[in-house]
Amino acid sequence: YIYLRANTVHSLTEMSHWFHRNPLKATVPMKFEALRKCSKGEKCNEILTQLKAGRTHLLGLVSKADSGVDEVTAAFTEYLGLLRGLVEAPQGEESKLRSLVSFKWTNSIGGRTPSVHSDAWFEVISIVIDVAIWHTKHAAVLASSDSIDLEVAKQVHRSLKLAAGMFLHVKEQLLSKLPASPDKAADTDPRVVEAYAHQSQAEAQEVTLARALELGHKPGIVTALADETSKLFVLAGDALKTLDQAQVSKWSSYLALKAAFYESYTYCFFGQEMLAQEKCGDSIKILQHSQALSDRASKLCEKYARTKGPGSIARPERHPFFQKLAPMVKLHLDKSVRENGFIFYQKVPEELPALEPHQAYGLATPEDFTLPPHHPLWTEESYAAFQVAAETTEKYDTKAAAAHEEISPVPEPDIAPGKPPQPQTKSGCSVS
């Protein structure tokens, strides 16, 4: 979550604890020996050398959340370009090399046991998902820095939109490349990818909402932004509902508390809007609903803290933005009750007034993502130099080999949560 004061650089500590982050995917080093056995000539050897080195370099960068986006993007583009020759021939047809190499990857909510597939598309998908997860972690690290300016805020916003676009591309364009159903709750499960996409977009939307709050936009605009943000978190949670809850319960709890939190914000500002229109009875009913949602969000924070499962530790209830919600709702509810008693004398309706239709103000749209083209090393000549006998091509097998050995997780720093200082702004955030 981003908080910026116009034209200043200021302290923002422990901001990463506004976010829940699942672990990075883990894999094993690859030598691409199966390809080397059918390679003929220096051009093939150069491709194989670059594949091995490019994969190692990219994974090293992704293991550190504070790596530079430009550096990660360059390594990502380089390696995917090299991988393209394993899934598509330079002329465009399916590559004869697609099924020669077995790739092993753990799943971000699946522990240490890897999924194993002899399919280069599985490697492409795994790499794209892993880098998308890295973008969400990079955004959290940037947001937790001691000093942050508008330029950094834009980087956080863009990283989250990039992640959303990458997850959407995997779901809509790449998963269908795999000829068999994925393991349940694997990162190739469309429900998992969909949850990631909605969460990344929702968190990008949080940045937009924080800006609107600190710039003092009209309640109607804040209502619209908060409503859309809440709905995105709901969609992310809905995607996980049919999965094994033992695997996703902590993640689901986080998404539920964020949805309730922003729904409370929605009705808090909707209530203010109704009071401004002298609909005091409606305002009271709406703000009472906001208060109930705020209480629910607090209970969901407690549930999240108790729930065991994969993921970094988030402490939303300790964040000033969260801590200011309940007092803000009470302040406006008390004002509406007081004004109704002195001036309006309106009946409080039994039914909750419906939210009014609103424009889609400032929605954080996922950035388009497409796979890069073939690396320049892939030419018709270099592709033809790989001479594959029919009997050496392994068929894709969904039962294949989820290897018996476990893969150690990627080491990631675990920052002990602490209580951040209280920003001196009305919303608990500083935005330019």
Side-chain angles (χ1 to χ4, degrees):
Y1 207 96
I2 297 306
Y3 308 104
L4 293 174
R5 185 173 299 160
N7 302 318
T8 65
V9 177
H10 64 286
S11 175
L12 295 170
T13 59
E14 307 298 349
M15 299 301 293
S16 60
H17 300 299
W18 187 246
F19 300 105
H20 168 94
R21 291 290 179 260
N22 291 327
L24 286 167
K25 296 167 67 63
T27 185
V28 294
M30 296 294 300
K31 297 181 178 180
F32 298 97
E33 286 300 322
L35 294 176
R36 197 172 298 280
K37 291 176 182 178
C38 65
S39 65
K40 306 294 180 183
E42 285 303 313
K43 293 183 182 295
C44 295
N45 290 335
E46 188 175 358
I47 288 173
L48 295 177
T49 298
Q50 292 295 324
L51 270 170
K52 179 181 176 182
R55 189 178 197 264
T56 301
H57 178 54
L58 174 59
L59 293 176
L61 292 173
V62 170
S63 69
K64 296 173 287 190
D66 59 353
S67 294
V69 171
D70 290 344
E71 191 177 11
V72 170
T73 301
F76 180 48
T77 301
E78 175 90 357
Y79 181 57
L80 280 181
L82 290 162
L83 276 180
R84 284 296 290 265
L86 304 190
V87 294
E88 294 173 350
Q91 302 92 329
E93 71 270 17
E94 181 179 309
S95 176
K96 62 190 176 185
L97 309 174
R98 173 177 171 175
S99 302
L100 291 186
V101 181
S102 289
F103 296 96
K104 301 179 183 181
W105 284 90
T106 61
N107 296 291
S108 57
I109 56 172
R112 298 185 176 208
T113 302
S115 296
V116 183
H117 297 297
S118 295
D119 192 331
W121 274 118
F122 175 65
E123 172 77 350
V124 170
I125 290 168
S126 297
I127 283 289
V128 175
I129 290 174
D130 205 39
V131 173
I133 293 173
W134 176 84
H135 272 290
T136 70
K137 291 175 180 282
H138 181 67
V141 165
L142 287 178
S144 68
S145 62
D146 289 338
S147 63
I148 187 169
D149 58 19
L150 182 58
E151 224 25 68
V152 176
K154 290 178 180 177
Q155 291 174 30
V156 175
H157 197 232
R158 184 163 186 264
S159 271
L160 291 167
K161 293 198 297 178
L162 278 170
M166 291 164 73
F167 287 126
L168 281 176
H169 185 77
V170 168
K171 179 177 180 289
E172 295 173 357
Q173 303 295 330
L174 300 185
L175 292 183
S176 60
K177 305 285 188 185
L178 299 177
S181 299
D183 300 329
K184 291 181 179 178
D187 290 330
T188 50
D189 188 318
R191 296 168 292 182
V192 172
V193 181
E194 183 178 352
Y196 273 128
H198 287 311
Q199 179 183 340
S200 299
Q201 187 179 1
E203 290 175 347
Q205 184 71 15
E206 289 183 86
V207 181
T208 305
L209 177 57
R211 180 180 175 83
L213 285 167
E214 281 312 310
L215 290 180
H217 281 295
K218 293 180 180 179
I221 293 177
V222 177
T223 297
L225 289 171
D227 185 38
E228 294 298 331
T229 306
S230 177
K231 287 176 179 176
L232 286 168
F233 279 115
V234 169
L235 288 172
D238 286 348
L240 300 177
K241 281 186 176 179
T242 56
L243 293 171
D244 181 0
Q245 292 306 298
Q247 286 183 279
V248 300
S249 56
K250 193 169 188 70
W251 190 9
S252 295
S253 295
Y254 166 79
L255 298 171
L257 75 86
K258 279 295 190 79
F261 174 79
Y262 284 107
E263 190 179 6
S264 178
Y265 250 91
T266 299
Y267 281 96
C268 180
F269 280 84
F270 184 37
Q272 294 177 49
E273 189 179 8
M274 291 298 98
L275 181 59
Q277 296 176 17
E278 299 186 353
K279 298 178 181 179
C280 204
D282 287 354
S283 175
I284 292 171
K285 184 66 177 181
I286 291 164
L287 287 163
Q288 287 173 340
H289 184 61
S290 176
Q291 193 170 59
L293 289 166
S294 174
D295 292 342
R296 180 169 181 266
S298 294
K299 291 176 181 176
L300 286 168
C301 282
E302 295 172 6
K303 178 184 177 183
Y304 175 82
R306 294 194 306 267
T307 303
K308 295 181 179 180
S312 58
I313 299 170
R315 291 285 186 261
E317 75 281 4
R318 297 188 183 186
H319 198 281
F321 191 56
F322 186 92
Q323 292 173 344
K324 288 179 182 287
L325 173 60
M328 180 174 65
V329 174
K330 184 178 185 302
L331 175 69
H332 291 291
L333 176 57
D334 288 348
K335 180 180 178 181
S336 291
V337 170
R338 185 170 59 252
E339 295 297 309
N340 202 44
F342 277 104
I343 302 172
F344 296 104
Y345 301 103
Q346 294 175 3
K347 182 180 179 181
V348 177
E350 293 185 7
E351 296 292 325
L352 179 69
L355 285 171
E356 297 180 345
H358 51 71
Q359 289 181 278
Y361 296 102
L363 295 185
T365 305
E367 291 213 4
D368 290 337
F369 172 80
T370 56
L371 294 178
H374 285 76
H375 190 281
L377 287 173
W378 283 111
T379 62
E380 291 186 25
E381 182 183 1
S382 63
Y383 179 75
F386 285 94
Q387 297 177 13
V388 182
E391 62 271 15
T392 64
T393 303
E394 300 174 8
K395 291 184 178 180
Y396 182 90
D397 182 5
T398 57
K399 304 289 184 184
H404 294 297
E405 78 271 18
E406 294 183 339
I407 297 178
S408 297
V410 178
E412 298 183 63
D414 183 16
I415 306 170
K419 186 173 182 178
Q422 302 287 323
Q424 299 303 309
T425 55
K426 60 187 176 183
S427 69
C429 51
S430 302
V431 187
S432 71

